[in-house]
Amino acid sequence: MTFWQVYGYIIAEFLFEYFVYAALFLHKLGRRKYFYFRAVPAVVALFALGLPVALFYKAFGATLWGRILVYSILFALFTLLAWICFDESYLTVLFCCSMAYAAQNLAYKIYLIIWTAGEQLRLYDNWGNKFDLYYRLIYYSVFAVCAVVFWFVFIRRITAKLENRKLNYRMLVITVLVLGITVLLCSVEDLYFAELSVWRENRFDEYVYFVLRETGNAFSVVCCIIVLLLASKSIIENALLQELEYLKYTVRQGERQYQMSKDSIELINIKCHDIKYKLDALTAQGGMTPEAVKELRDSIAIYDSKTETGNQLLNILITEKSLYCEQNGINLSCMIDGVKLDFMETGDLYCLFGNLIDNALEAVKEIEEKERRVINLMVKSKDNLLLVQEENYYNGTREFEDGLPLTTKKDKNSHGFGMRSLRMIVKKYGGELAAYVSDDIFHLNIIFSR
C-alpha cells in the first residue's frame, strides 16, 4: 500500500470512526470556554498528526509492537485533545474515550464476523472492479447500524448518568485493563491471520483457520460488550448510591427541621394565647372597640390553630404547611389518621409527607384560578392496609419515567429527587407507590400492608 492509502484507509478511517463514538460519549460533559475555537483546531491537529503516524505504520505496521504502538499513540492523542476541549478531569475524559474505543472496536469486530463469513461462502467473487465500492458500502452500513444500536443499548444509559461526575475509578482501571488486553489480542489476530489469508485478507483455504478467526472475532466482541456493560453498571450504581446518600441527608435534615418547626409552632401558640389575654384586658378597660378586637382575633386565629391527626409530627407539619397555604391562597384539605403511621421513623415520616406536600404546593402555586388551588390529603386504614392519597390540580403537562413524574424544572440533574425519595422511603417500609394524572388532576397513592 502507498503512504496515502495507509493514511486514508487505516489511520484517517480509524480516527473518523473513533471520533463518531467519542462524540456520542463526550457530548454531555462540561465544555471549556471557547469550546468551538478549541474543538475545530483539535480535530485538524488530530488528523494532521495522523500523517507521521501513518508513516510509522507504513514502516512498522507489519510488526506486532508497531501496530500496538500506532493505536496507542492515536488513543493518547485523541484523549489529550478531548481533555483540552472539555472542562472535566482527565480521568473522566479517559473513561469516555476508553468507552468510545471499546464501541469502535466492537463495531469493527462485528463487521469482521460478517465479512469473514461472506468470504468463506464466496459471496464476493463476482464483484469484479466494483469490489472496493461494495466493500465500503458494507463496511459503513455496518458501522452506521452499530452506532445507532450502541446508542440505544449502551451509550445513552452511560452518558445519562455521567453528569453526576462521580466515577468508580477502580472499575475504570479494570475496564481499561480489559480493553487493553482485547486490543492486544486483536492486533495479534489481525497481523497473523493476514499472513494465513489467501488472495484477500480474511479469506482462508483451510476451514480451521476460518473457525479460529471467527472465534477470535467473537471473543473480542464478548470482551467489548463486557467492558460496556461494566461501565454502564458502574455508572448506574454510582448514581443510585448518590441518590441514597441524598435521601439519608434529606431524612437527617427532616429530623432537624421537625424539631425546629415544633419549637416555632409552640412558641407561636404561646404568643397567640398571650395576645388573647391582653386583648381581653384592653377590651375590659375600654381601650379597644369590639370591632377592632374581633379583627385582631381573626388575624391571629390561624396562628393559634392546631391540626389534630393523632401524630405529633404530622400535627406540626400540617400546621406549618397550613400557614403557608393561608398566606398563598391555597386550600389544604386533610383527613389523616396519624396514629396508623407510628411505625415510621421520625425522619422518614417528615421526609415523606414534607416532600409529598411540597410537590403539591409547587404545582398549585402555578395555578391562577382560586377554585383549582386545592390540595387533598387523606390517610386511612382498611383491614390490614394503610392508604395514603394525595390529589392536586396542575397546569401544563406531566411526563413520567419509570412510574414517577419528571421534574418540570430546567435543571433535571439538580431536581427530581423528591419523588424518588418518596418511593425509596415507601419501599423501605414494604409499601407501594403509584402516580398518575387524570383530567388535570395529579394522583399519588401509597399503600402499606400492616
Side-chain angles (χ1 to χ4, degrees):
M1 297 176 69
T2 66
F3 168 78
W4 291 109
Q5 286 176 321
V6 170
Y7 178 77
Y9 292 154
I10 298 176
I11 305 301
E13 194 171 72
F14 168 79
L15 289 175
F16 170 75
E17 296 170 9
Y18 189 29
F19 178 83
V20 170
Y21 283 111
L24 293 176
F25 276 99
L26 293 165
H27 76 282
K28 280 198 171 184
L29 297 187
R31 299 176 178 182
R32 295 189 188 274
K33 194 175 181 181
Y34 308 118
F35 173 77
Y36 290 104
F37 287 101
R38 294 170 180 266
V40 173
V43 172
V44 173
L46 181 66
F47 282 89
L49 291 171
L51 291 170
V53 176
L55 186 64
F56 182 88
Y57 187 97
K58 192 173 187 311
F60 303 103
T63 64
L64 178 61
W65 67 268
R67 186 163 297 196
I68 293 174
L69 189 58
V70 162
Y71 289 107
S72 298
I73 292 172
L74 293 176
F75 175 80
L77 286 173
F78 196 101
T79 305
L80 177 61
L81 292 172
W83 179 68
I84 291 174
C85 298
F86 291 93
D87 189 17
E88 302 289 345
S89 68
Y90 184 77
L91 286 178
T92 300
V93 175
L94 175 64
F95 174 83
C96 292
C97 290
S98 298
M99 294 305 98
Y101 197 103
Q104 186 275 335
N105 197 57
L106 176 57
Y108 174 66
K109 287 300 179 179
I110 290 174
Y111 162 77
L112 277 183
I113 289 175
I114 297 171
W115 181 261
T116 305
E119 283 284 20
Q120 183 66 22
L121 297 172
R122 306 298 189 258
L123 298 179
Y124 320 129
D125 289 355
N126 298 323
W127 285 3
N129 57 6
K130 293 185 178 180
F131 179 86
D132 288 341
L133 173 62
Y134 294 152
Y135 174 88
R136 292 296 160 190
L137 285 175
I138 293 176
Y139 185 86
Y140 284 109
S141 296
V142 173
F143 172 79
V145 171
C146 286
V148 173
V149 172
F150 295 170
W151 167 257
F152 287 102
V153 176
F154 298 113
I155 302 175
R156 184 176 59 172
R157 297 173 62 192
I158 294 173
T159 57
K161 303 297 182 181
L162 268 178
E163 293 185 354
N164 293 323
R165 303 297 192 270
K166 289 190 177 181
L167 300 174
N168 185 330
Y169 293 119
R170 183 182 302 174
M171 187 63 69
L172 172 61
V173 171
I174 295 173
T175 299
V176 173
L177 180 61
V178 173
L179 187 60
I181 294 172
T182 305
V183 172
L184 173 63
L185 294 176
C186 290
S187 299
V188 172
E189 290 176 18
D190 290 346
L191 187 62
Y192 291 105
F193 275 106
E195 295 180 3
L196 296 173
S197 302
V198 293
W199 190 20
R200 287 192 298 261
E201 189 174 351
N202 294 309
R203 178 164 179 167
F204 309 102
D205 283 341
E206 298 290 338
Y207 184 73
V208 67
Y209 295 154
F210 163 73
V211 173
L212 289 173
R213 179 56 160 161
E214 292 290 65
T215 301
N217 291 334
F219 177 77
S220 297
V221 166
V222 171
C223 287
C224 290
I225 290 176
I226 289 174
V227 165
L228 291 168
L229 287 175
L230 282 173
S232 177
K233 183 174 181 293
S234 174
I235 291 292
I236 292 173
E237 283 185 352
N238 277 339
L240 291 175
L241 287 174
Q242 283 183 265
E243 288 189 18
L244 182 60
E245 288 301 317
Y246 173 81
L247 175 59
K248 291 179 179 177
Y249 171 78
T250 304
V251 170
R252 291 194 298 269
Q253 290 294 102
E255 292 174 346
R256 286 193 286 268
Q257 182 63 37
Y258 162 64
Q259 191 59 48
M260 292 171 60
S261 299
K262 179 183 176 183
D263 294 341
S264 298
I265 294 296
E266 289 178 352
L267 180 60
I268 289 174
N269 287 331
I270 292 172
K271 293 297 182 182
C272 286
H273 283 294
D274 290 344
I275 293 173
K276 284 183 177 181
Y277 289 130
K278 291 179 181 178
L279 284 174
D280 291 340
L282 287 172
T283 303
Q285 296 172 6
M288 295 184 67
T289 64
E291 292 78 9
V293 171
K294 183 178 184 303
E295 183 178 350
L296 283 174
R297 285 185 180 277
D298 291 340
S299 298
I300 66 173
I302 184 172
Y303 297 102
D304 194 32
S305 61
K306 288 185 179 180
T307 302
E308 291 297 336
T309 66
N311 183 291
Q312 185 183 22
L313 183 148
L314 288 180
N315 292 344
I316 299 296
L317 178 62
I318 299 300
T319 300
E320 182 184 36
K321 300 301 181 183
S322 296
L323 294 175
Y324 178 88
C325 290
E326 179 70 20
Q327 293 171 350
N328 290 273
I330 298 171
N331 181 11
L332 175 60
S333 174
C334 298
M335 294 180 60
I336 300 175
D337 184 2
V339 175
K340 304 297 183 180
L341 292 165
D342 288 343
F343 66 92
M344 296 184 68
E345 296 177 10
T346 301
D348 291 336
L349 185 60
Y350 194 95
C351 183
L352 178 66
F353 281 88
N355 271 326
L356 189 151
I357 297 174
D358 286 343
N359 288 340
L361 288 173
E362 187 174 332
V364 298
K365 276 195 306 183
E366 300 175 357
I367 300 175
E368 295 183 0
E369 302 92 327
K370 184 178 180 180
E371 64 274 10
R372 296 177 68 237
R373 294 170 68 90
V374 177
I375 300 171
N376 293 320
L377 180 60
M378 181 177 66
V379 179
K380 64 179 181 179
S381 61
K382 184 177 181 181
D383 298 328
N384 293 325
L385 297 178
L386 179 65
L387 177 63
V388 180
Q389 291 180 315
E390 187 277 320
E391 298 173 347
N392 62 267
Y393 288 98
Y394 66 92
N395 279 341
T397 59
R398 289 292 183 270
E399 297 181 1
F400 285 74
E401 182 178 286
D402 193 24
L404 296 179
L406 295 174
T407 179
T408 56
K409 294 184 173 63
K410 292 183 179 180
D411 185 1
K412 307 295 183 183
N413 298 299
S414 300
H415 300 280
F417 289 103
M419 289 301 300
R420 296 200 292 272
S421 298
L422 290 181
R423 184 161 65 182
M424 292 175 73
I425 292 173
V426 170
K427 291 288 187 182
K428 176 180 177 181
Y429 293 93
E432 294 293 334
L433 181 149
Y436 64 95
V437 293
S438 175
D439 298 328
D440 294 332
I441 300 177
F442 174 80
H443 300 264
L444 179 70
N445 296 328
I446 300 172
I447 296 178
F448 294 104
S449 177
R450 307 311 307 157

